[in-house]
């Protein structure tokens, strides 16, 4: 086993939206959960990733810790009967499966909208949470930096990121379809998180929409985005009038309970059709809103069912992306194998240094300072040459996947069981 790396994954593939929104974690919850797993379960190399499509935990442990992780997660979310949620999770309890999965998630291969660029930023944020919590060990640092490098290669060497087939762009395509027969459609965007802000940028770039209004609880953020995109701003306190005027309302509000309720929307006196698009997980638009006459609601799963020509181009590039991932995983594996023998190398170094010092002590008393320096230089050079040969043999054995026998022989030869590791 290269490393005891494992993963627990709940995603759109097995969990419907109503389950994903129960499990979803915001930034504060991610950080609390990291602390729980690190300090209470003593897990290492931790990464907690939560998006609208998935909530996943990556960790290092000698044995499967998925039941304890799922239990801790449901406790954090105050959900009864943790066992009821087990069927929605995938358990990846081998190094190979967990690493492969994280690469595919990070590249956007496992996204509902293939190649979605947002997931890359979300993985970077999850890594930052781990680093801040001191929950990322040498392996996770190496793994994530390998992923970031791979992401750059995919961007530069393939067409996988060409086009704009992201969640936010899929939302734009849906708005274009819904308002195809509406002259100068009025669009209101409420909530300016990462996806909401991206939707605003797409609307600002589109020639089809000239009447776009945005609203956010923090007006300063809305004003900055409005200046960037050339759209209007409305204060949160004055939102009701803009809701009445809008043909399309796009909600990206981050909160635990729906903001747009049936009661609120019923008071808007909808005269024709009004479209609500919910990009939030948990949902920010109550499902019952669609019972209001003239109102149609589209949630995140409906958004992801939309496709574009860019998706076909990206799908054609998938084999090339997988080949790049395979190269990166092979390189990571070589590094992991070398890390496995690193303690042995340090012990051999310590054993050789002990022998060298013992011999020097026997002879230095009878030598002049000049001779002592020559002996010091010669013995150190000889030790480094011997050590280098063993290091090269161990690294070569690692690549052949037969380092174990050589490690056993060296351990016995140098009595390494009784030799402390040197720094």
């Amino acid at each position: 086993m290269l490393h005891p790396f494992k993963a627990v994954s709940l995603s759109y593939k097995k969990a419907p939206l109503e389950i994903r929104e129960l499990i979803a974690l915001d930034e504060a919850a991610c950080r609390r959960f990291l602390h729980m797993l690190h300090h209470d379960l003593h897990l290492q190399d931790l990464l907690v990733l939560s998006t609208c499509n998935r909530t996943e935990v990556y960790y290092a442990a000698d044995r499967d810790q998925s039941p304890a992780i799922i239990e801790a997660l449901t406790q954090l979310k105050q959900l009864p009967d943790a066992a009821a949620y087990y069927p929605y999770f995938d358990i990846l309890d081998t190094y190979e499966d967990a690493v492969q999965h994280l690469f595919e998630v990070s590249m956007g291969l496992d996204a509902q909208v293939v190649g979605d660029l947002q997931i890359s930023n979300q993985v970077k944020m999850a890594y930052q949470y781990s680093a801040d919590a001191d929950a990322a060990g040498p392996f996770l640092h190496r793994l994530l930096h390998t992923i970031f490098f791979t992401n750059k290669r995919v961007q530069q060497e393939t067409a996988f990121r060409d086009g704009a087939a992201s969640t936010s762009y899929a939302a734009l395509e849906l708005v274009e379809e819904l308002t195809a027969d509406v002259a100068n459609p009025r669009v209101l965007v409420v909530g300016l998180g990462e996806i909401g802000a991206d939707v605003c940028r797409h609307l600002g770039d589109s020639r089809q929409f000239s009447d776009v209004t945005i609203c956010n609880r923090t007006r300063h953020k809305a004003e900055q985005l409005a200046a960037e995109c050339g759209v209007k701003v409305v204060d949160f306190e004055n939102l009701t009038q803009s809701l009445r005027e809008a043909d399309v309302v796009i909600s990206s509000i981050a909160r635990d309970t729906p903001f747009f309720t049936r009661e609120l929307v019923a008071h808007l006196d909808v005269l024709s059709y009004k479209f609500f698009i919910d990009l939030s997980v948990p949902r920010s638009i109550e499902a019952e809103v669609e019972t209001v006459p003239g109102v149609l609601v589209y949630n995140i799963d409906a958004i992801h069912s939309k496709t574009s020509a860019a998706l076909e181009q990206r799908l054609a590039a998938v084999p090339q992306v997988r080949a790049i991932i395979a190269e990166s995983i092979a390189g990571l594996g070589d590094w992991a194998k070398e890390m496995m023998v690193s303690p042995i190398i340090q012990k051999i170094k310590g054993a050789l240094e002990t022998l060298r010092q013992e011999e020097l002590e026997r002879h230095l008393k009878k030598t002049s300072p000049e001779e002592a320096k020559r002996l010091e230089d010669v013995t150190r050079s000889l030790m480094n040459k011997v050590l280098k040969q063993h290091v090269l043999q161990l690294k070569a054995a690692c690549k052949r996947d037969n380092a174990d026998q050589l490690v056993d022989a060296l351990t016995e030869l140098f009595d390494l069981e009784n030799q402390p590791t040197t720094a």
Side-chain angles (χ1 to χ4, degrees):
M1 181 175 62
L2 292 178
H3 192 274
F5 194 59
K6 299 173 177 59
V8 183
S9 170
L10 178 143
S11 76
Y12 69 94
K13 291 184 175 180
K14 290 175 67 172
L17 178 59
E18 55 266 26
I19 297 297
R20 301 201 309 273
E21 65 185 357
L22 288 175
I23 300 295
L25 305 171
D26 59 17
E27 178 181 343
C30 278
R31 292 183 182 274
R32 288 200 304 275
F33 194 41
L34 266 169
H35 187 272
M36 289 172 59
L37 297 178
H38 190 41
H39 294 277
D40 296 345
L41 297 184
H42 309 293
L43 300 180
Q44 305 297 322
D45 283 317
L46 272 167
L47 187 78
V48 175
L49 176 65
S50 190
T51 74
C52 59
N53 286 330
R54 67 186 68 249
T55 295
E56 299 180 331
V57 177
Y58 298 84
Y59 67 99
D62 290 334
R63 58 185 180 85
D64 177 21
Q65 295 289 331
S66 58
I69 291 172
I70 296 172
E71 179 77 28
L73 179 56
T74 53
Q75 285 181 2
L76 179 70
K77 298 297 292 184
Q78 298 182 331
L79 299 173
D81 190 14
Y85 297 92
Y86 285 9
Y88 298 109
F89 285 86
D90 286 312
I91 310 303
L92 301 97
D93 60 357
T94 68
Y95 165 90
E96 291 78 10
D97 288 345
V99 168
Q100 182 74 34
H101 183 69
L102 183 53
F103 266 92
E104 293 189 1
V105 167
S106 303
M107 296 306 115
L109 283 173
D110 199 62
Q112 275 190 307
V113 179
V114 177
D116 194 336
L117 284 170
Q118 288 160 346
I119 187 63
S120 177
N121 291 329
Q122 291 162 334
V123 171
K124 287 181 180 178
M125 289 302 300
Y127 176 45
Q128 185 63 57
Y129 302 158
S130 296
D132 291 345
D134 197 26
F139 174 78
L140 190 68
H141 286 302
R142 182 75 177 210
L143 172 59
L144 268 295
H145 283 284
T146 302
I147 285 173
F148 299 150
F149 176 74
T150 304
N151 194 45
K152 287 183 180 180
R153 283 195 62 191
V154 168
Q155 181 80 25
Q156 295 168 357
E157 300 175 23
T158 76
F160 190 62
R161 295 287 166 72
D162 291 354
S166 64
T167 298
S168 55
Y169 193 78
L172 174 68
E173 287 187 329
L174 177 59
V175 176
E176 290 174 341
E177 181 181 317
L178 295 175
T179 60
D181 298 327
V182 180
N184 192 30
R186 292 164 294 185
V187 181
L188 172 65
V189 181
V190 185
L192 301 177
E194 184 178 355
I195 294 178
D198 281 347
V199 170
C200 290
R201 294 184 180 97
H202 289 316
L203 289 167
D205 292 339
S206 174
R207 296 181 180 180
Q208 187 170 332
F209 303 101
S210 58
D211 192 346
V212 178
T213 303
I214 62 177
C215 179
N216 195 60
R217 288 191 182 275
T218 306
R219 182 179 173 90
H220 178 65
K221 184 175 183 179
E223 288 176 339
Q224 286 183 317
L225 191 62
E228 176 187 343
C229 303
V231 298
K232 296 178 290 187
V233 177
V234 64
D235 285 330
F236 209 86
E237 295 76 13
N238 301 325
L239 182 60
T240 303
Q241 185 58 37
S242 295
L243 287 171
R244 288 197 175 97
E245 296 172 353
D247 298 300
V248 179
V249 178
I250 302 173
S251 176
S252 186
I253 300 174
R255 52 179 286 159
D256 293 332
T257 57
F259 174 80
F260 293 100
T261 62
R262 188 191 186 286
E263 181 181 11
L264 185 155
V265 175
H267 289 152
L268 298 180
D269 301 322
V270 179
L271 299 178
S272 57
Y273 281 106
K274 193 180 294 287
F275 305 102
F276 280 78
I277 298 175
D278 192 350
L279 302 181
S280 306
V281 177
R283 283 175 284 189
S284 57
I285 301 174
E286 196 174 57
E288 289 74 16
V289 165
E290 198 164 31
T291 65
V292 177
V295 173
L296 292 174
V297 178
Y298 297 82
N299 62 31
I300 194 75
D301 284 352
I303 294 297
H304 287 157
S305 69
K306 306 300 295 177
T307 59
S308 69
L311 283 178
E312 295 182 9
Q313 188 176 15
R314 292 182 176 197
L315 288 172
V318 165
Q320 190 178 0
V321 175
R322 290 194 181 281
I324 293 174
I325 289 175
E327 290 179 19
S328 295
I329 290 178
L332 179 69
D334 289 342
W335 175 85
K337 290 172 185 176
E338 292 183 10
M339 286 295 291
M340 289 174 63
V341 299
S342 180
I344 295 295
I345 292 172
Q346 292 301 318
K347 286 188 176 183
I348 293 173
K349 182 179 179 180
L352 290 173
E353 178 64 17
T354 299
L355 290 172
R356 191 179 76 88
Q357 291 295 338
E358 288 175 354
E359 289 302 308
L360 285 176
E361 288 178 8
R362 290 174 55 190
H363 297 287
L364 288 181
K365 295 177 181 179
K366 305 174 183 178
T367 59
S368 65
E370 292 79 10
E371 290 174 328
K373 186 177 185 309
R374 282 197 296 271
L375 278 173
E376 172 73 25
D377 293 342
V378 168
T379 55
R380 184 176 296 279
S381 176
L382 180 61
M383 185 192 78
N384 287 336
K385 287 181 180 180
V386 172
L387 181 63
K388 180 180 179 181
Q389 186 62 33
H390 289 310
V391 169
L392 291 175
Q393 289 176 347
L394 276 169
K395 289 185 176 181
C398 284
K399 292 186 177 181
R400 297 192 303 269
D401 287 326
N402 63 352
D404 291 346
Q405 292 180 347
L406 184 56
V407 166
D408 291 341
L410 290 171
T411 299
E412 184 176 352
L413 178 64
F414 289 97
D415 191 24
L416 298 182
E417 291 292 346
N418 300 313
Q419 176 67 40
T421 302
T422 60

